[in-house]
Amino acid sequence: MKHVTSFAAIAAAALALAGCSSDSAEEPDAASTRSAAEAATETAETAEAATEATPSETAEEAVETIVDRIAAEYPTEDWDIADSPALALTAEERSEYLGLALDGEDYEEALSDDSNPDGLSEAQFYALAGMSDELDRAGREILLASMIEQDGSTGMAAGPALSAADMVCSAVEDGASYGEAFGDVFAKALIGGAFESALTDDEAAAEEAVDASASAVSGALFAHLLCPEYTDDAVAVFEQMGEEG
């Protein structure tokens, strides 16, 4: 605002000087003096308005969150499951994403129920499904990947889990019952890992095959996170498995 005031003062002084005559000039009349003053005022007001309309250079820009970044990088939801944005993030980034996408809800807290030591309880399945229902496709896949690699201490990668879960959901959407789709993917994951492990003498390769198999099995178990509308069907299948076991 200081430079506006200075501009007004200079303008007023210039107009005043222009109105002054030399020793041989005539004195200005009252009307011309008022006109000069009004012009100076208008000039100052115009300069001040222009200054106020200019955005401040110190204004903070909106901070882009990881949720915004993923939305911008994946504007559509038609990617192949192998190209899921969940696989492009670290465990820390997935945790940050879920914290923001779920409005700060601690999804790990929903898994603190240990009433079923052999796996997730029914309440946990529904809690996870409720979270998944609030997310878009990217968020759901990030949630599933987070469940597979919760603390980074296991050797399981999220890729096989996402693929298995996607196969279950796709089969159900194509008309198969949830039990049939789950059973098929679950069995193939178990048998495939054992088969591949038995075919190699490379210890590292055999361990990788076992880890991939375990990841795919977990993906089948968590498939309802990608298609939470089938959570009731998933719980029914697991209850039946428990009775048969």
Side-chain angles (χ1 to χ4, degrees):
M1 187 62 67
K2 182 181 294 185
H3 66 278
V4 175
T5 303
S6 300
F7 182 85
I10 293 173
L15 289 170
L17 287 174
C20 294
S21 63
S22 62
D23 292 340
S24 60
E26 296 179 359
E27 290 294 327
D29 57 23
S32 64
T33 301
R34 284 197 301 273
S35 177
E38 290 171 356
T41 301
E42 290 176 359
T43 300
E45 290 175 349
T46 300
E48 183 175 353
T51 301
E52 292 176 349
T54 303
S56 173
E57 295 180 358
T58 60
E60 293 185 6
E61 296 183 359
V63 178
E64 182 184 58
T65 68
I66 192 168
V67 176
D68 298 326
R69 177 164 66 84
I70 293 299
E73 292 178 359
Y74 299 84
T76 62
E77 297 190 345
D78 59 353
W79 57 80
D80 292 335
I81 194 66
D83 299 321
S84 170
L87 301 177
L89 301 178
T90 65
E92 291 76 15
E93 288 173 328
R94 287 195 291 268
S95 180
E96 179 184 357
Y97 182 102
L98 293 172
L100 293 171
L102 295 172
D103 296 326
E105 182 176 358
D106 186 358
Y107 65 94
E108 293 180 354
E109 185 176 332
L111 301 178
S112 61
D113 178 6
D114 57 0
S115 60
N116 182 11
D118 297 324
L120 293 179
S121 67
E122 182 175 330
Q124 289 171 311
F125 268 94
Y126 278 107
L128 285 168
M131 295 178 196
S132 181
D133 204 36
E134 298 179 17
L135 302 169
D136 58 12
R137 180 185 174 185
R140 292 175 180 179
E141 292 173 8
I142 289 170
L143 178 59
L144 174 55
S146 295
M147 300 313 303
I148 302 303
E149 299 178 342
Q150 287 187 48
D151 57 8
S153 63
T154 67
M156 293 195 301
L162 288 173
S163 295
D166 183 66
M167 283 190 283
V168 173
C169 293
S170 296
V172 176
E173 290 171 359
D174 288 340
S177 70
Y178 195 94
E180 291 172 343
F182 168 80
D184 183 53
V185 174
F186 187 82
K188 287 180 179 178
L190 283 176
I191 297 172
F195 185 72
E196 290 183 26
S197 177
L199 286 179
T200 180
D201 293 329
D202 187 323
E203 185 176 343
E207 184 176 349
E208 184 177 344
V210 170
D211 287 341
S213 175
S215 177
V217 167
S218 296
L221 292 169
F222 286 114
H224 72 294
L225 296 186
L226 299 194
C227 45
E229 63 269 29
Y230 300 118
T231 301
D232 289 340
D233 299 308
V235 170
V237 168
F238 302 139
E239 288 178 343
Q240 183 179 354
M241 289 175 61
E243 292 172 359
E244 294 174 351

